Amino acid sequence: MANNSPALTGNSQPQHQAAAAAAQQQQQCGGGGATKPAVSGKQGNVLPLWGNEKTMNLNPMILTNILSSPYFKVQLYELKTYHEVVDEIYFKVTHVEPWEKGSRKTAGQTGMCGGVRGVGTGGIVSTAFCLLYKLFTLKLTRKQVMGLITHTDSPYIRALGFMYIRYTQPPTDLWDWFESFLDDEEFFIL
């Protein structure tokens, strides 16, 4: 076994700094496929949560509709594991917009309340957003989030993984999570 002490390697960096630099270089130059983002904040498999730890940084109207939704309160309450929620995403999610199609009353409204975008008037919250918040209640690990964003069975599982990252991870870490997926050509309906 080689001794990697600074004196023997001619390197003035302490061993743990050299190992961290080598790991970062390997991650940047490593082979294809998705690489895990650099660990920041808490170490290991535990993900740090950014922002409000109760609301998941969701719009208050969306969160209120999720929490009062019979789907969230009854059916999703029964799901206790990550794998059960992933199966539910696979079978139930058909789009990733915040509101179910046709459930928002936007007639005669203009601007941000005109149905173009935003959440100005509410409606029936979508299955996707209920499941996104359910994932948040499970406090996913780094490995579980990687499992979502690299899942091969459904683009909606991947989309909810990316949405989970967007709502819960520090803004400074987003590039590390998203970079290797920017050229992804998988298609799905919003």
Side-chain angles (χ1 to χ4, degrees), residues 94-97 154-156 158-160 162-163 185-190:
T94 58
H95 66 88
V96 292
E97 293 180 7
S154 167
Y156 298 111
R158 296 183 66 211
L160 285 179
F162 286 115
M163 289 169 61
E185 296 180 1
E186 186 165 10
F187 178 78
F188 73 99
I189 299 170
L190 290 174

Side-chain angles (χ1 to χ4, degrees), residues 141-154:
T141 64
R142 187 175 307 277
K143 182 178 177 183
Q144 289 171 326
V145 173
M146 285 301 296
L148 290 173
I149 65 176
T150 59
H151 209 283
T152 57
D153 291 346
S154 167

Side-chain angles (χ1 to χ4, degrees), residues 55-81:
T55 68
M56 196 180 114
N57 306 311
L58 287 170
N59 175 285
M61 185 176 288
I62 292 175
L63 182 59
T64 299
N65 284 344
I66 289 170
L67 296 175
S68 63
S69 162
Y71 176 64
F72 182 80
K73 291 192 307 188
V74 179
Q75 284 123 328
L76 293 186
Y77 179 78
E78 300 294 321
L79 304 181
K80 303 295 183 197
T81 69

